Amino acid sequence: MRTLVRFFAFVGLLLALVVSARAAVTAKYRAYGENVLHVYNWGDYIDPALLERFQEETGIRVVYETFDSNEEMLAKLRQGGTSYDVAVPSDYAIQRLIREGLLLPLDHDRLPNLRYIDPRFLDLPFDPGNRYSVPYFWGTLGIAYRPDRVPFEIRSWRDLWSLDLRGQVLLVDGPREVVGIGLQTLGYSLNDADPAHLEEAKALLDTLVPNVKAIVGDEIRVLLAQDEASVGVIWSGDAKSVLEHNPSFEYVIPEEGSNIWFDNFVIPKTARNVEGAYKFINFFLDPEVAAQNAEYVGYATPNREAFALLPEEVTSDERFYPPEEVLRRLEVYLDLGRDAVARYNELFLEFKMHRK
């Protein structure tokens, strides 16, 4: 009987705790009221502690959704089914959103922390004058590899074709990235839309197939960190994460050049909480916030004051903050127009089918 009493007492206490916790959460969201902000960003691309801090400081509840590619993000914004207040597209996608009239022009007076951004990352070709976007992170596309398992030093895209790398190479699942490797290996621009050059790049990529172990998305970090492959074409922030978990890897930016990309905050034209969107963007432009976010995410910050707050071992690492002579070899993806983008997608799909 005493055991039964203790059991019901325990169940009662458990229910009380659950009800109390639910009441606390409900009270918290009630405090936020109807002030909700819908944010659309890449996966694992923001410090959750900073999201919590923003909510507590502003009383704005953040509804956070993620996407895996610019193409997925573009399709969602075009459909207009969900009204996002802040999104984080990349350079060429921003250019396309501007051209299609899907973004609100920004009032820089409402973003005082914009003054902390390094001028090198402002006024770029995809958004002159930053009329529609402000920098969030930037990085490169390169090659992560294990020097102790690859019998030569990888320095170029061409090295991916080595017979020593049979079945060892992971590729990112992106048409611009993979077709771009073929183009740059042939000496062409990443923004080349010449049909003959694209076919030439595709033919070259087909000869890479024996070396390709898989074409993957975000899981490339885990696969490399767990030694599932010795070589991976990967974005710099993801490479930094791999190196932190598996110091046997190295990261190189190919000598032919590569892509330098920029992810920026934008406010879609369908935004319902524009005031909250400005507060959110300005919050993440704050140097102390941007530095904490950069340490969490691992990508390079365009915030000059935040850069100064980061540990020296981070900012002096030229693999992730490359010097000017390397930056000059890098290209920003430009919006090539609907027809050329469709051709890139077709060639990439054919390349993937060729592997089967």
Side-chain angles (χ1 to χ4, degrees):
M1 182 65 180
R2 187 176 296 170
T3 302
L4 194 61
V5 170
R6 280 206 301 265
F7 172 74
F8 282 114
F10 172 75
V11 171
L13 177 62
L14 190 61
L15 286 173
L17 288 173
V18 170
V19 170
S20 175
R22 181 173 295 174
V25 172
T26 303
K28 183 176 180 180
Y29 285 131
R30 188 175 294 136
Y32 290 143
E34 298 302 317
N35 202 354
V36 178
L37 188 76
H38 291 264
V39 177
Y40 199 31
N41 197 358
W42 298 85
D44 197 20
Y45 207 36
I46 204 163
D47 184 346
L50 290 171
L51 279 181
E52 189 66 27
R53 178 177 156 189
F54 172 79
Q55 292 184 127
E56 291 174 353
E57 289 185 5
T58 63
I60 299 172
R61 181 164 66 92
V62 175
V63 177
Y64 192 80
E65 292 185 41
T66 63
F67 54 83
D68 294 327
S69 69
N70 278 300
E71 286 65 34
E72 178 185 349
M73 179 274 308
L74 285 166
K76 208 75 174 286
L77 293 188
R78 283 175 182 140
Q79 290 167 2
T82 305
S83 296
Y84 297 105
D85 302 300
V86 176
V88 189
S90 306
D91 31 61
Y92 73 95
I94 294 169
Q95 200 175 15
R96 202 175 309 170
L97 288 165
I98 294 171
R99 195 183 65 222
E100 297 178 14
L102 295 174
L103 300 180
L104 284 181
L106 297 178
D107 179 357
H108 289 185
D109 291 339
R110 299 169 75 177
L111 297 170
N113 289 338
L114 187 57
R115 68 185 185 277
Y116 296 121
I117 297 296
D118 188 323
R120 291 184 303 160
F121 303 108
L122 295 171
D123 198 26
L124 294 173
F126 57 86
D127 182 19
N130 291 89
R131 291 192 62 223
Y132 296 91
S133 69
V134 296
Y136 181 55
F137 281 115
W138 67 278
T140 59
L141 181 74
I143 302 170
Y145 79 106
R146 283 194 58 156
D148 58 333
R149 292 186 178 173
V150 175
F152 60 94
E153 181 183 2
I154 290 184
R155 301 178 61 183
S156 72
W157 292 127
R158 173 64 68 177
D159 289 332
L160 296 177
W161 275 260
S162 167
L163 296 176
D164 293 319
L165 300 185
R166 192 173 186 87
Q168 293 192 58
V169 178
L170 296 178
L171 295 178
V172 290
D173 192 5
R176 293 294 299 262
E177 286 75 15
V178 173
V179 177
I181 291 170
L183 287 169
Q184 283 199 311
T185 303
L186 291 165
Y188 299 131
S189 165
L190 282 180
N191 295 303
D192 199 325
D194 185 318
H197 294 169
L198 290 174
E199 292 296 335
E200 198 178 341
K202 165 64 170 43
L204 178 63
L205 287 169
D206 285 343
T207 65
L208 180 63
V209 166
N211 286 4
V212 178
K213 182 181 181 75
I215 299 172
V216 293
D218 286 342
E219 63 269 33
I220 193 169
R221 288 179 299 180
V222 176
L223 293 172
L224 289 174
Q226 294 180 347
D227 283 332
E228 295 293 331
S230 301
V231 182
V233 173
I234 191 170
W235 289 290
S236 52
D238 288 346
K240 193 167 187 294
S241 173
V242 171
L243 269 58
E244 286 172 353
H245 289 88
N246 191 338
S248 300
F249 273 88
E250 185 54 87
Y251 177 72
V252 294
I253 299 173
E255 58 190 13
E256 297 99 330
S258 185
N259 166 236
I260 180 172
W261 52 262
F262 303 89
D263 288 340
N264 283 18
F265 289 117
V266 300
I267 302 178
K269 209 165 192 173
T270 53
R272 293 176 180 169
N273 190 350
V274 174
E275 180 64 30
Y278 275 107
K279 286 182 179 177
F280 185 86
I281 296 171
N282 200 55
F283 176 83
F284 279 93
L285 291 176
D286 175 87
E288 183 258 326
V289 170
Q292 179 178 331
N293 204 29
E295 283 208 79
Y296 175 86
V297 173
Y299 279 104
T301 178
N303 190 309
R304 184 172 48 193
E305 301 301 319
F307 179 85
L309 295 174
L310 291 171
E312 186 181 354
E313 64 263 29
V314 172
T315 56
S316 62
D317 191 335
E318 295 188 348
R319 295 171 299 184
F320 304 107
Y321 286 94
E324 284 298 324
E325 62 266 27
V326 175
L327 291 176
R328 282 194 288 272
R329 300 203 308 264
L330 307 180
E331 292 183 84
V332 179
Y333 288 137
L334 299 177
D335 178 20
L336 302 176
R338 201 174 288 267
D339 291 345
V341 169
R343 190 58 190 141
Y344 269 74
N345 292 340
E346 288 170 3
L347 291 175
F348 183 53
L349 183 59
E350 290 171 13
F351 169 67
K352 290 203 284 189
M353 295 297 292
H354 186 86
R355 295 185 57 245
K356 297 179 178 176

